[in-house]
Amino acid sequence: MANEFTCITRKIEVHLHKHGDSDEAIQRYKEEYRMWDDINNNLYKAANRIVSHCFFNDTYEYRLKLHSPRFQEIEKLLSNPKRNKLSDDDIKELKAERKLLFSDFKSQRQTFLRGGIETGTNPEQNSTYKVISNEFIDCIPSEVLTNLNQNISSTYREYTLDVERGIRTIPNFKKGIPVPFSIKQHGEIALKKRDDGTIYVRFPKGLEWDLNFGRDRSNNREIVERVLSGQYGVGNSSIQESKNKKQFLLLVVKIPKENRVLDKERIVGVDLGVNTPLYAALNDNEYGGMGIGSREQFLKVRERMNAQKRELQRNLRHSTNGGHGRSQKLQALDRLEGKERNWVHLQNHIFSKSIIEYALKNDAGVIQMERLTGFGRDNNEEVQNEYKYILRYWSYFELQTMIEYKAKAAGIEVRYINPYHTSQTCSFCGHYEKGQRINQPTFICKNPDCTKGKGKQKSNGAYEGINADWNAARNIARSNEFVEKKKK
């Protein structure tokens, strides 16, 4: 395989290293901080210069097309071949001529970007680098400018088609964007460990940023230690300054895939639910499955946090009306909202890890999930009542994203399927009929010839039914109606 690793990004707080308490060390610290401020205060300007220049380059080629009479004539003819009475051979010849004109416009653009030189290397990134280096080389290291130019240019290319269609505007960057740098050069990693055990990252211009792991709930220290030992690889990373002036290392870590033989014919279906956030089932099992999480726990924690928020909002209602210091008075509310979001983020990590463990335990090589577009909505695109509360506070998209990258690290393929009728179809006989999901936890198949989809029969002749979440998860695992993750 081409890529035998998966990339994750770890966010670790860093502090500029102090080289002692002497006057010289203090002066050096101040000077290095000034250098960092220069980089941080000018980087977003350089990023916007790159985007503007990329757009200008595209506009130059567009103007060549606009001012070419023959190109405009061909476009007009091909826009309505029937009205212009074009034969198949005529259309073929016009398209071939248009292709040659495209090639000529591209060649003229390349010559323009080279400053009039007709031949040479691809000048796209060279031209944008010249623009920013002339203006910012005194305050931003060349290594940072090179990485920034590569990142912004590739980002712009991803958005070009959407910009042409009017779906979005060209990117605009504000102060505080990540400062990119090459964390590995000539085979040497910029992450180092001192004799006292502290770990730091060596930044351009000789800046050293000490890593502060804090309580380390995300196990970042162990990951960094594995990078230092060579067990994990690293990719180009960045340092970002937050609004409260704290700096964070965004470390890109390449985790090798596990060399484990998995059965690609064995599939785990993952159903997203309300009573049970996740339910996993296998495509080749007529029993079992695993529910992950509970609505009760979710509601208990969120209602407690909401009660705290309402009380805090009542107390702040009058004290924040006008005057100075409003943002400071709202800090407690911001901290509570951050705590709330962190709790959901942690739960998603726990749930996604459980799904991967379930797949590995059963040697499943594929995980299938529903595409989230329209999840929890009725035919009128309105959110159904039973989904309103949990969809308001739960990030299912984040959960799926976590399952994706953890599955990739474990060598498990992830597919998305059409969610249509997965909860109202019997996973044993395939019979679909409205009302088979009796309630949120129970499913009873209405096909008279199906016995497995009805569950055990009671003494009065009625059926107990089967677990509705497990039935839906099994349908997802057995489905072959594959779709993209996002609806196009």
Side-chain angles (χ1 to χ4, degrees):
M1 296 175 64
N3 293 323
E4 293 297 331
F5 58 82
T6 186
C7 291
I8 62 171
T9 301
R10 311 308 298 178
K11 186 177 181 179
I12 306 170
E13 187 174 357
V14 293
H15 303 286
L16 195 59
H17 182 66
K18 294 182 178 179
H19 295 270
D21 298 324
S22 65
D23 293 341
E24 184 180 348
I26 294 173
Q27 186 61 34
R28 176 180 175 181
Y29 179 79
K30 290 180 180 179
E31 178 62 23
E32 289 181 344
Y33 226 107
R34 186 197 62 77
M35 291 164 56
W36 165 254
D37 283 340
D38 279 348
I39 296 171
N40 195 49
N41 292 335
N42 288 281
L43 195 74
Y44 74 99
K45 299 177 186 177
N48 287 321
R49 295 286 192 281
I50 295 169
V51 167
S52 300
H53 196 67
C54 287
F55 183 72
F56 171 77
N57 292 346
D58 286 347
T59 305
Y60 180 81
E61 188 169 333
Y62 171 76
R63 291 180 68 84
L64 290 174
K65 297 175 184 177
L66 189 66
H67 292 286
S68 170
R70 181 54 182 164
F71 181 81
Q72 295 300 319
E73 183 183 358
I74 292 173
E75 288 286 274
K76 187 175 181 180
L77 289 170
L78 290 175
S79 64
N80 198 328
K82 289 184 178 179
R83 186 180 65 187
N84 295 317
K85 299 179 181 180
L86 298 178
S87 65
D88 291 342
D89 290 338
D90 292 335
I91 294 173
K92 188 175 181 181
E93 287 179 7
L94 287 172
K95 286 184 176 180
E97 186 179 353
R98 184 176 63 176
K99 187 176 180 180
L100 289 173
L101 286 172
F102 273 138
S103 178
D104 183 52
F105 295 147
K106 186 175 181 179
S107 177
Q108 289 184 54
R109 169 180 169 166
Q110 302 291 318
T111 301
F112 167 74
L113 295 179
R114 293 191 195 98
I117 301 173
E118 293 186 1
T119 58
T121 56
N122 190 322
E124 294 286 345
Q125 289 190 8
N126 288 341
S127 66
T128 51
Y129 181 79
K130 286 179 181 178
V131 169
I132 57 175
S133 64
N134 289 339
E135 184 177 357
F136 299 102
I137 196 64
D138 292 335
C139 55
I140 303 177
S142 59
E143 180 186 332
V144 172
L145 287 177
T146 299
N147 282 276
L148 179 72
N149 187 39
Q150 292 172 351
N151 295 347
I152 302 300
S153 296
S154 61
T155 299
Y156 176 82
R157 291 297 158 214
E158 290 176 6
Y159 295 162
T160 301
L161 190 58
D162 288 344
V163 171
E164 290 180 359
R165 291 174 177 173
I167 299 174
R168 65 182 304 157
T169 62
I170 61 174
N172 180 50
F173 300 93
K174 298 180 180 179
K175 184 178 178 180
I177 65 172
V179 182
F181 67 102
S182 300
I183 199 165
K184 191 174 183 180
Q185 283 191 336
H186 310 296
E188 185 180 358
I189 300 177
L191 276 173
K192 302 290 181 182
K193 181 183 280 191
R194 297 190 181 91
D195 294 336
D196 60 1
T198 59
I199 300 173
Y200 69 98
V201 60
R202 192 177 62 242
F203 193 76
K205 285 199 171 183
L207 304 186
E208 294 181 2
W209 294 95
D210 294 339
L211 276 61
N212 179 20
F213 297 101
R215 295 159 75 178
D216 200 19
R217 291 177 176 175
S218 300
N219 207 27
N220 286 330
R221 178 179 285 275
E222 182 179 347
I223 291 174
V224 172
E225 291 284 359
R226 292 184 180 184
V227 170
L228 291 171
S229 67
Q231 188 175 349
Y232 290 169
V234 285
N236 288 349
S237 303
S238 56
I239 292 178
Q240 185 173 25
E241 184 168 289
S242 62
K243 291 181 180 179
N244 59 2
K245 293 295 183 179
K246 289 185 177 180
Q247 292 82 28
F248 294 90
L249 170 65
L250 306 180
L251 179 65
V252 176
V253 181
K254 298 178 179 180
I255 301 177
K257 289 184 179 179
E258 298 179 14
N259 293 323
R260 181 168 180 167
V261 179
L262 299 174
D263 185 358
K264 292 293 183 180
E265 299 299 320
R266 186 159 240 213
I267 303 168
V268 173
V270 179
D271 178 55
L272 305 176
V274 177
N275 286 337
T276 305
L278 286 178
Y279 209 101
L282 295 168
N283 63 324
D284 56 0
N285 260 18
E286 295 187 354
Y287 58 88
M290 180 179 69
I292 302 170
S294 70
R295 177 184 176 90
E296 289 72 22
Q297 180 200 16
F298 171 79
L299 294 178
K300 183 178 179 181
V301 175
R302 299 313 294 268
E303 286 175 357
R304 185 184 75 241
M305 290 183 175
N306 281 335
Q308 293 175 353
K309 188 187 296 185
R310 286 193 297 270
E311 180 66 24
L312 190 56
Q313 287 172 334
R314 278 196 296 268
N315 295 336
L316 292 171
R317 187 174 299 165
H318 301 292
S319 62
T320 55
N321 289 337
H324 297 288
R326 186 175 186 276
S327 60
Q328 186 175 0
K329 294 172 185 176
L330 291 174
Q331 283 182 359
L333 184 62
D334 292 339
R335 283 196 298 270
L336 181 59
E337 290 177 347
K339 182 179 180 181
E340 197 173 24
R341 179 69 193 90
N342 289 339
W343 181 80
V344 174
H345 187 72
L346 177 61
Q347 294 303 307
N348 279 338
H349 265 301
I350 294 171
F351 293 168
S352 57
K353 181 181 178 183
S354 299
I355 288 293
I356 302 305
E357 289 176 346
Y358 179 79
L360 293 175
K361 179 181 177 181
N362 290 281
D363 294 323
V366 179
I367 292 175
Q368 291 188 176
M369 295 183 284
E370 295 174 309
R371 183 177 62 195
L372 283 176
T373 305
F375 176 67
R377 297 178 183 271
D378 57 23
N379 294 332
N380 297 320
E381 289 298 313
E382 297 291 333
V383 178
Q384 300 175 50
N385 289 331
E386 64 265 29
Y387 288 89
K388 283 183 178 178
Y389 188 84
I390 201 162
L391 280 179
R392 180 181 175 189
Y393 294 109
W394 201 271
S395 178
Y396 280 116
F397 182 81
E398 179 188 67
L399 177 58
Q400 284 191 338
T401 302
M402 288 183 177
I403 292 174
E404 274 189 50
Y405 82 73
K406 290 178 183 179
K408 188 177 180 182
I412 301 172
E413 181 184 357
V414 174
R415 301 176 189 153
Y416 288 90
I417 62 106
N418 189 336
Y420 190 59
H421 289 167
T422 54
S423 63
Q424 292 286 353
T425 301
C426 178
S427 63
F428 290 99
C429 69
H431 177 71
Y432 165 75
E433 186 175 336
K434 286 186 177 180
Q436 293 192 124
R437 187 161 187 165
I438 306 302
N439 49 44
Q440 194 64 41
T442 309
F443 178 94
I444 298 178
C445 181
K446 292 186 178 183
N447 180 2
D449 297 327
C450 179
T451 56
K452 294 180 179 179
K454 294 181 173 61
K456 293 181 180 179
Q457 191 172 19
K458 301 178 183 177
S459 57
N460 60 0
Y463 290 94
E464 292 182 354
I466 60 176
N467 187 304
D469 291 327
W470 173 77
N471 179 71
R474 192 164 179 265
N475 278 327
I476 293 169
R478 294 166 67 86
S479 174
N480 57 5
E481 296 183 25
F482 305 122
V483 293
E484 297 294 329
K485 182 178 182 181
K486 293 183 180 179
K487 189 174 181 179
K488 294 184 177 179

